[in-house]
Amino acid sequence: MADPFAVTNQAPPLRGVNFFTQDRALSDALRPYADLADDPGLHRIGELAGSEEALSHALPANQNPPVLRTHDRYGNRIDEVDFHPSWHWLMEQAVGFGLQAAPWTSERPSPHLTRAAGFYLWSQVEPGHGCPISMTYAAVPALRADAQLAKEWVPQLASTKYDVRRLPAAEKFGVLAGMGMTEKQGGSDVRANLTTATPAGDVYQLNGHKWFCSAPQVDLFLVLAQAPDGLSCFVVPRVLADGNRNPFALQRLKDKLGNRSNASSEVEFHGTIGYRLGDEGAGVRTIIEMVAATRLDCVLGSAALQRRALVEATWHTRHRSAFGGLLADKPAMQNVLSDLALESEAATALGMRLAAAVDSSDPKEAAFRRIALPLAKFWVCKRTPFMVAEALECLGGNGYVEESGLPLLYRESPLNSIWEGSGNVNALDVLRALRRPESLEAWLLEIGAVQGADARLDAAVNDVLQALADIENAEAGARRLAARMALCLQASLLIRHSTPDVADAFVASRLANDWGGVFGTLPRTTPFQEIVERTIG
């Protein structure tokens, strides 16, 4: 008689898997742009990301969220944030891998594509600590609006040494960056900001607040404030060159749905010193370079969440039996897993295509980024909560408990669709891009690489062109248009770079309406086994 207390029919822990070498979709997505199959850095990241050591830090970093300390024991204002040791371990690895600003100073080929692959892999361990990593990466193109400020800050932003000491930047081994744009009364409408910037010699004094200040523990911030000639961008260091602390009054940390390992704060400025970046009145134009780079990381981070959720679902169902056999062998489950795999592969392909465009100096690639970034930000990030929820369901009750890690992924899944512009903001940004002829031309050029290869895709492209006939009155249909354009873009990439099975199933379900809209409703003729086998070895 079987022991009723014996532990059986449980999936083993997902450990000892190289996240890089086991990801065929990532390999296919990278291959057209660079030969990175043997890249030692990506192999190291993939190996560590799938290790017991790395995965043991994810839950503690989230179960022990940061703690705000506004004053020391004597009543002095210090405005510091304490983090769990697991947070610092994760940050040290990410900085050591050069996932923050290292690509901007690198002389290796395809530095941004390589970094994107690394960021995607490492984000699968724990996504919250990716926020300061992403903002540090994104700060560099904005800082280049001022040669002197760039010279002062970029080398240390690109450093691969994690240094948490509260010192002047010149005395540190490396620094990290953050951002402060939104206010209580404005949100995404940053032109409604009320924070003021008053000239005081070579600097400005800032007075006001920021409703969301990401990663308040870092060394410098790009901040928007109203100068005499309009909304402007400022570099705000936490510690001034003379060693004194810049007034940076942290009011409280946000109690968030997810992203709990990361500190997001409300901050007030009281005579805070800022250095103008770009011209007065050109704040949005200056900081938009940072926004564009963080939008790319929103796409990559969402693709990472999708991938990790897919791997967890596939791993569990390959080891869990029910109703006389392994879950992964059941036709209904194979349909679900295949559908999840299609979503993940398409997100990965689009994220890597965008990263490859960052490496290019071709104006056509710049035009492509202008239209494809808001498209990808809208669609990939919007799809992620649905995808992660379905993957969680594959684990059943096991996926609903914290120890599985799936609740962490699920709570994180809506974030990237909100950060740096929610769905409507990005859909409307697509419309703005389309008013530039070069943007539509870039999208058509990318899709045109497979023109005639699939009649269903050709028909979808024609539908888009018809919808664009009245672009001036398209706001109400902006989301529908953005979704269709993003799907066409993903389909074209899969047709070119993935397997025929994956591409055909994606087009049939996403563009030809042979799909119920719910995951697991692919056509019965779909080669489920072939698609699922690509997920993980």
Side-chain angles (χ1 to χ4, degrees):
M1 183 175 178
D3 181 357
F5 298 104
V7 178
T8 61
N9 196 27
Q10 290 286 343
L14 177 61
R15 300 292 189 270
V17 175
N18 189 311
F19 281 11
F20 178 56
T21 59
Q22 293 291 309
D23 194 336
R24 298 185 198 176
L26 177 61
S27 296
D28 288 348
L30 293 172
R31 191 176 301 113
Y33 317 111
D35 182 8
L36 297 175
D38 297 321
D39 184 86
L42 293 179
H43 276 267
R44 286 197 302 273
I45 296 173
E47 182 178 11
L48 185 59
S51 70
E52 173 73 33
E53 181 181 18
L55 299 177
S56 70
H57 285 288
L59 288 179
N62 282 266
Q63 292 167 341
N64 299 275
V67 176
L68 174 62
R69 290 190 299 122
T70 57
H71 297 77
D72 67 13
R73 59 179 290 194
Y74 303 107
N76 298 305
R77 185 112 203 179
I78 56 174
D79 296 299
E80 291 291 354
V81 182
D82 291 336
F83 289 85
H84 189 268
S86 286
W87 164 274
H88 291 298
W89 187 91
L90 293 163
M91 287 291 295
E92 186 175 13
Q93 309 312 310
V95 172
F97 288 133
L99 301 182
Q100 52 349 325
W104 300 107
T105 60
S106 174
E107 296 181 358
R108 64 164 294 165
S110 305
H112 294 280
L113 178 64
T114 306
R115 180 262 176 192
F119 184 82
Y120 160 89
L121 291 167
W122 192 245
S123 294
Q124 293 176 48
V125 177
E126 196 285 320
H129 77 287
C131 178
I133 297 298
S134 178
M135 288 190 297
T136 302
Y137 172 73
V140 174
L143 282 167
R144 288 178 172 173
D146 186 298
Q148 184 56 43
L149 288 171
K151 181 180 178 180
E152 178 181 350
W153 287 102
V154 171
Q156 285 176 295
L157 290 168
S159 169
T160 54
K161 296 187 177 185
Y162 179 55
D163 188 347
V164 298
R165 296 175 300 165
R166 185 65 71 206
L167 294 172
E171 299 177 26
K172 297 190 65 171
F173 299 123
V175 300
L176 297 172
M179 179 196 301
M181 289 201 299
T182 61
E183 297 183 2
K184 298 182 182 74
Q185 75 287 342
S188 294
D189 185 9
V190 295
R191 295 189 184 279
N193 281 4
L194 298 178
T195 296
T196 61
T198 305
D202 294 333
V203 299
Y204 287 71
Q205 291 185 341
L206 276 58
N207 289 279
H209 81 281
K210 294 298 169 185
W211 187 230
F212 278 92
C213 178
S214 301
Q217 75 280 5
V218 300
D219 302 281
L220 80 152
F221 296 84
L222 267 60
V223 172
L224 293 180
Q226 297 287 355
D229 285 338
L231 190 65
S232 307
C233 186
F234 298 88
V235 172
V236 176
R238 283 296 308 270
V239 178
L240 301 173
D242 60 9
N244 289 317
R245 290 175 177 246
N246 207 6
F248 202 85
L250 299 179
Q251 303 304 296
R252 61 175 174 171
L253 300 185
K254 298 290 191 180
D255 186 7
K256 298 169 293 184
L257 167 67
N259 200 243
R260 300 189 69 84
S261 68
N262 178 47
S264 301
S265 69
E266 298 170 23
V267 62
E268 289 184 357
F269 305 129
H270 299 277
T272 304
I273 299 300
Y275 300 84
R276 195 185 73 235
L277 181 64
D279 296 332
E280 279 196 15
V284 173
R285 187 168 69 247
T286 302
I287 208 169
I288 200 67
E289 293 291 337
M290 188 175 189
V291 172
T294 48
R295 280 184 175 179
L296 172 59
D297 276 6
C298 286
V299 176
L300 295 172
S302 289
L305 289 171
Q306 290 190 18
R307 169 66 185 176
R308 181 62 193 277
L310 170 66
V311 169
E312 291 287 352
T314 305
W315 182 267
H316 177 85
T317 57
R318 284 181 178 176
H319 294 89
R320 178 82 165 173
S321 295
F323 309 111
L326 287 174
L327 286 173
D329 293 336
K330 304 296 183 182
M333 182 60 75
Q334 288 186 336
N335 196 324
V336 172
L337 295 173
S338 297
D339 217 347
L340 295 175
L342 295 179
E343 196 74 34
S344 176
E345 288 209 29
T348 300
L350 184 50
M352 296 307 146
R353 172 66 184 93
L354 285 166
V358 179
D359 280 316
S360 175
S361 59
D362 187 341
K364 292 182 179 179
E365 288 292 273
F368 174 76
R369 292 198 307 272
R370 177 65 185 89
I371 183 68
L373 260 178
L375 281 173
K377 169 71 165 65
F378 171 80
W379 184 245
V380 173
C381 299
K382 187 67 66 180
R383 293 292 299 162
T384 301
F386 301 102
M387 196 272 192
V388 174
E390 193 68 57
L392 184 154
E393 192 172 324
C394 291
L395 278 70
N398 287 331
Y400 204 68
V401 298
E402 290 292 339
E403 288 175 308
S404 72
L406 269 297
L408 188 161
L409 300 181
Y410 183 64
R411 287 192 297 269
E412 191 77 17
S413 63
L415 172 63
N416 288 323
S417 192
I418 299 170
W419 190 33
E420 301 303 5
S422 57
N424 282 350
V425 170
N426 279 273
L428 294 174
D429 200 18
V430 170
L431 293 185
R432 281 190 289 272
L434 286 170
R435 292 188 174 95
R436 301 179 179 182
E438 64 271 19
S439 295
L440 178 58
E441 181 182 343
W443 182 81
L444 288 171
L445 185 64
E446 188 75 15
I447 306 295
V450 293
Q451 186 176 9
D454 192 302
R456 298 164 297 184
L457 174 57
D458 291 344
V461 173
N462 286 333
D463 288 343
V464 169
L465 294 177
Q466 290 179 17
L468 291 175
D470 189 19
I471 187 67
E472 297 303 324
N473 298 296
E475 181 171 333
R479 282 179 171 235
R480 181 181 179 87
L481 178 64
R484 198 68 168 170
M485 291 182 72
L487 285 169
C488 288
L489 194 52
Q490 289 180 320
S492 72
L493 290 167
L494 294 178
I495 289 171
R496 279 177 282 166
H497 308 313
S498 189
T499 67
D501 288 334
V502 169
D504 181 70
F506 185 87
V507 174
S509 56
R510 272 62 172 178
L511 293 179
N513 297 319
D514 195 0
W515 190 45
V518 176
F519 284 107
T521 56
L522 294 173
R524 289 186 299 169
T525 55
T526 302
F528 302 126
Q529 191 68 32
E530 289 79 358
I531 295 173
V532 175
E533 283 179 353
R534 287 172 51 80
T535 300
I536 186 171

